[in-house]
Amino acid sequence: MTAPDELKGKRILLIEDEESLAIGLEYNLSEEGYIVDWAKNGREGIEKINTGNYDLIIVDLMLPYHDGFEITKLIRSRDVQMPVLILTARSSNEDKIKGLDYGADDYVVKPFNLKELLLRIERMLRRKSWYKNLEKTGETFRFGNNRVNFINLECAAGEKTFRLTPKEAMLLKYLAENSSRIISRKELLENVWNLNSDVETRTVDIFISRLRKYFEPDPENPVYFKSVRGAGYIFEPGN
Amino acid sequence: MKRTNSHLYIIIAFVIAQIAWLGLLALWIYWYVTNYIVFEQVGEKLSPLIDIQTPNVFVFTAGIILIVGIAVVMFIFFRNLSVQYKLTNLYDNFIATVTHELKSPLSSLRLFLETMAYKNVSEEKRKDFLSLMMKDVKRLDNLINTILEISKLEQKKIVHDRREYKAGILFEELVNESILNLSVPEGVVSYECSSVSYCSADKKALQIVIDNLISNALKYSKEAPTINVSVKDNRKKIIIDISDNGIGIPQQYQKKIFNKFFRIDSVNMPNVKGTGLGLYWTKEIIKQHKGSISVHSNGLNKGSTFRIELPALKNKG
């Protein structure tokens, strides 16, 4: 298994202080066709973030000098699009929620399944490419009378302009990527929040309701963000 | 956040309990003072022969003793609760660090196994991976041994193999063994000795002590570590100093670092791995040798010196 051609040569920063794990990951990611840069601690990680140009960052939580939470927060404060994957031995729900809340896109607990990790990385890089394509063409995602700029998260619904939160943008982005397909709450929780479905599925409903308020002409009778009874949601942006 | 709240609840409960018992005491005094005359009158009517002073003093004193007793019990209760709370915190911390210490080598073992199972790994790389896997297995083995040995030590199940050694020779051997065990590069550790005394020691146990101290000096060192071990006599004691040029230990942690599960949480720490058991284990071994261990450091980036004091054997040397 190697990464698709369009993703080969993507630069990944790996911030991990466990030497043998880092060597193993570096080997596997390089075999996939990615270019890997390894930082051995939090301080080195921040230096590399400041100077390097990366497509994805993998960060451990328990790091010398600066922990993974701090680093994730720092990355997110500078770049809303940078895919960040937390790879850690800490498996408590508090840590997962904190990591995702600080802006990580994915949270993988050690020991992990190699194939699963590589697929997650590939998916994150695909999303990043999607962002970049938008940036290149200068296009804004449009549906109906709405415009969404996923780069700065600025939106316009008719005359009204506003800014989405990163999580709202991620949800909308996932729906847009999977438009005209029924998506279950479970799938949204797993892919947008990176949480298992044991966690309150009501979170999804709350966020969908927010999107309806922003973009639907009549949120009570949605035309874009439709509910599918017993199945989940379907996003129909129209032409 | 959760821990801070729990601590706050204990303090609030303690303050409320103190207010409650002080209130009770005040009520008791008030009740006694206001009813004093009634006591006298009732007592006189019932039996004029009773010495009215005696039972009153008795009732008053008994009441005070009872309330003070309640306060003491309450104090003991809260003290135990506070100790229990601290232990629970330490235990949680220990579970988190041990889980981390177990999961990290386990993850890399799994990663290498999956890599070799699914990918076409070259012979050279395979050898590298196997050597890294051996390191991880050793790390897991060390961790499990540490936990088991400390448990034995605490339950006093360890039978010490005490023998008499000339301190200078013993510690030179121990240091050389540590250099081999920890693969310390040449020239990093120096050794000097002016001691002529003998000591009674369990060589295997003291090896753990020296391994732990040298390993810590390396883990918490800067780019080019230098470690000096010196052994000298001071009256009836043998002094072993292990000094390094590492990042040092802030004053406020110098006593705490020997506590079980204690770990310094600071942005200046170059290493966050560990269980918080190494120095506790070291201290316990030294204690069993009827000695003591302390640390001195002038602060951040000024190195540290661990001092072990062992009793010298009489009529020897």
Side-chain angles (χ1 to χ4, degrees):
Chain A
M1 189 180 82
T2 54
D5 286 345
E6 70 267 24
L7 297 182
K8 280 184 179 159
K10 295 281 179 196
R11 288 172 57 85
I12 295 178
L13 172 63
L14 172 64
I15 313 174
E16 171 63 75
D17 62 334
E18 291 288 340
E19 193 184 0
S20 54
L21 190 74
I23 292 172
L25 278 173
E26 200 174 13
Y27 173 82
N28 277 288
L29 293 169
S30 305
E31 284 288 298
E32 291 292 303
Y34 305 125
I35 298 165
V36 186
D37 207 357
W38 172 32
K40 291 172 190 165
N41 56 53
R43 194 182 285 168
E44 213 179 301
I46 291 175
E47 276 167 21
K48 285 187 187 280
I49 291 166
N50 288 337
T51 53
N53 183 21
Y54 300 102
D55 295 295
L56 183 139
I57 297 170
I58 301 172
V59 61
D60 186 10
L61 280 185
M62 289 172 78
L63 289 166
Y65 304 121
H66 299 281
D67 68 26
F69 289 126
E70 218 178 307
I71 295 172
T72 306
K73 213 172 171 182
L74 179 92
I75 301 166
R76 199 48 78 228
S77 69
R78 293 180 187 175
D79 187 347
V80 286
Q81 299 169 18
M82 176 63 75
V84 179
L85 183 145
I86 292 178
L87 184 63
T88 176
R90 287 163 70 159
S91 56
S92 74
N93 271 343
E94 283 92 350
D95 285 330
K96 282 183 194 169
I97 290 166
K98 192 175 171 186
L100 295 168
D101 196 37
Y102 278 7
D105 298 272
D106 209 344
Y107 191 107
V108 177
V109 177
K110 296 173 187 172
F112 51 86
N113 179 296
L114 176 62
K115 282 184 180 172
E116 185 193 329
L117 179 78
L118 294 175
L119 278 172
R120 281 176 186 258
I121 290 169
E122 187 189 316
R123 200 186 58 201
M124 288 167 80
L125 285 168
R126 272 186 192 282
R127 269 192 240 155
K128 168 87 175 173
S129 301
W130 187 73
Y131 262 141
K132 277 204 166 168
N133 287 341
L134 276 179
E135 206 169 3
K136 264 185 211 162
T137 53
E139 277 176 20
T140 306
F141 178 64
R142 288 168 188 272
F143 62 103
N145 208 12
N146 304 301
R147 281 175 289 126
V148 182
N149 184 332
F150 282 114
I151 297 152
N152 56 19
L153 307 186
E154 274 177 6
C155 304
E159 296 297 308
K160 192 174 64 176
T161 57
F162 54 93
R163 193 186 284 266
L164 291 178
T165 66
K167 202 48 105 184
E168 289 164 351
M170 281 170 75
L171 174 62
L172 180 57
K173 191 154 66 80
Y174 190 80
L175 290 168
E177 281 171 338
N178 297 279
S179 58
S180 307
R181 175 171 81 78
I182 297 172
I183 308 168
S184 68
R185 289 179 176 83
K186 183 173 181 279
E187 184 183 334
L188 287 171
L189 270 177
E190 284 173 359
N191 291 285
V192 178
W193 280 266
N194 298 101
L195 298 172
N196 61 41
S197 50
D198 300 339
V199 182
E200 189 64 52
T201 50
R202 180 132 178 76
T203 313
V204 177
D205 299 338
I206 293 167
F207 272 76
I208 293 281
S209 149
R210 280 198 218 166
L211 293 184
R212 281 176 179 159
K213 272 186 199 157
Y214 295 146
F215 300 109
E216 293 283 1
D218 177 8
E220 297 298 314
N221 300 297
V223 289
Y224 305 119
F225 304 95
K226 290 178 184 169
S227 299
V228 182
R229 204 182 168 89
Y233 292 100
I234 185 164
F235 177 59
E236 287 182 339
N239 293 322
Chain B
M1 193 69 164
K2 207 175 160 186
R3 282 181 186 172
T4 319
N5 281 345
S6 311
H7 211 135
L8 198 69
Y9 291 145
I10 291 177
I11 293 168
I12 291 170
F14 184 72
V15 170
I16 291 172
Q18 292 307 308
I19 292 169
W21 89 260
L22 280 171
L24 195 65
L25 181 67
L27 268 176
W28 169 251
I29 293 169
Y30 174 76
W31 180 82
Y32 177 80
V33 170
T34 51
N35 289 282
Y36 178 75
I37 298 158
V38 180
F39 276 143
E40 273 189 338
Q41 287 166 354
V42 172
E44 272 170 16
K45 272 185 190 174
L46 284 175
S47 172
L49 295 174
I50 295 174
D51 179 5
I52 204 74
Q53 292 303 320
T54 318
N56 277 347
V57 170
F58 173 75
V59 171
F60 182 73
T61 317
I64 298 280
I65 290 171
L66 186 70
I67 292 166
V68 170
I70 293 171
V72 170
V73 170
M74 221 146 47
F75 174 75
I76 294 169
F77 172 74
F78 276 103
R79 197 172 168 275
N80 285 351
L81 198 69
S82 168
V83 170
Q84 192 61 44
Y85 170 77
K86 275 184 194 161
L87 277 177
T88 311
N89 268 357
L90 284 173
Y91 182 71
D92 285 351
N93 193 24
F94 169 70
I95 293 294
T97 46
V98 165
T99 309
H100 182 269
E101 285 300 285
L102 283 171
K103 277 185 170 184
S104 295
L106 205 63
S107 325
S108 71
L109 283 172
R110 181 174 172 172
L111 176 63
F112 287 126
L113 286 172
E114 284 185 340
T115 306
M116 289 194 278
Y118 304 136
K119 296 206 165 155
N120 201 5
V121 182
S122 70
E123 197 51 42
E124 195 188 341
K125 276 280 166 203
R126 190 178 288 268
K127 275 184 190 163
D128 291 349
F129 290 172
L130 286 173
S131 128
L132 288 166
M133 285 167 82
M134 280 307 291
K135 260 193 192 173
D136 287 324
V137 170
K138 201 175 167 193
R139 187 170 154 194
L140 281 174
D141 191 38
N142 282 343
L143 174 65
I144 292 162
N145 275 343
T146 304
I147 295 168
L148 292 177
E149 290 297 320
I150 286 178
S151 167
K152 274 192 211 162
L153 198 76
E154 285 176 334
Q155 292 171 40
K156 303 201 185 324
K157 282 183 184 168
I158 285 186
V159 183
H160 284 285
D161 177 21
R162 289 278 184 86
R163 290 176 194 194
E164 287 178 10
Y165 294 97
K166 192 168 186 183
I169 297 170
L170 170 71
F171 281 97
E172 188 170 13
E173 281 177 18
L174 294 175
V175 168
N176 287 336
E177 191 63 29
S178 284
I179 292 172
L180 285 176
N181 290 346
L182 303 166
S183 313
V184 185
E186 211 176 310
V188 170
V189 183
S190 60
Y191 178 79
E192 57 192 72
C193 173
S194 60
S195 167
V196 289
S197 300
Y198 282 75
C199 62
S200 162
D202 179 341
K203 198 175 172 184
K204 223 173 149 186
L206 284 185
Q207 186 66 62
I208 293 165
V209 169
I210 301 297
D211 278 358
N212 262 328
L213 294 176
I214 293 184
S215 154
N216 275 353
L218 291 170
K219 273 201 277 187
Y220 298 101
S221 69
K222 291 175 283 185
E223 295 299 312
T226 58
I227 302 164
N228 180 261
V229 182
S230 76
V231 182
K232 61 189 175 207
D233 294 331
N234 184 4
R235 294 180 188 174
K236 290 171 185 168
K237 284 177 181 166
I238 301 162
I239 313 282
I240 303 107
D241 282 336
I242 295 138
S243 313
D244 62 60
N245 65 337
I247 60 158
I249 301 163
Q251 181 76 35
Q252 70 266 36
Y253 300 128
Q254 288 179 15
K255 277 189 180 163
K256 289 182 185 169
I257 56 167
F258 296 103
N259 292 352
K260 198 174 183 179
F261 307 140
F262 184 80
R263 297 197 43 77
I264 298 174
D265 187 14
S266 160
V267 289
N268 297 310
M269 285 294 131
N271 197 300
V272 291
K273 307 293 186 258
T275 54
L277 288 174
L279 285 177
Y280 169 74
W281 194 8
T282 298
K283 185 188 81 180
E284 289 301 305
I285 291 172
I286 297 297
K287 250 168 69 181
Q288 298 212 336
H289 281 77
K290 297 190 171 51
S292 64
I293 183 165
S294 58
V295 67
H296 174 76
S297 170
N298 286 327
L300 204 65
N301 293 324
K302 288 182 178 159
S304 23
T305 300
F306 281 83
R307 170 164 287 196
I308 299 169
E309 295 185 2
L310 291 177
L313 286 179
K314 287 172 189 169
N315 310 321
K316 281 273 185 184

